[in-house]
């Protein structure tokens, strides 16, 4: 459990695969290497 949310790694992986856009504004998530503004947090 070495992630920012203290959840199991399998659950983090499942959520990252499922959630590709922000539910509030619809902006597509990117890698932090591309842009910190559009990275999931």
């Amino acid at each position: 459990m070495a992630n920012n949310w203290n959840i199991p790694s399998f659950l983090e992986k499942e959520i990252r695969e499922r959630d590709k856009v922000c539910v509030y504004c619809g902006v597509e998530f990117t890698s932090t290497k591309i842009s910190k503004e559009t990275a999931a947090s």
Side-chain angles (χ1 to χ4, degrees), residues 7-28:
I7 60 174
S9 57
F10 76 89
L11 186 55
E12 178 186 4
K13 182 181 177 190
E14 180 181 317
I15 293 167
R16 287 187 179 273
E17 289 174 358
R18 180 193 71 195
D19 298 349
K20 300 296 181 188
V21 297
C22 176
V23 297
Y24 297 108
C25 66
V27 171
E28 186 173 345

Side-chain angles (χ1 to χ4, degrees), residues 22-35:
C22 176
V23 297
Y24 297 108
C25 66
V27 171
E28 186 173 345
F29 294 134
T30 63
S31 166
T32 54
K33 294 177 183 177
I34 295 172
S35 173

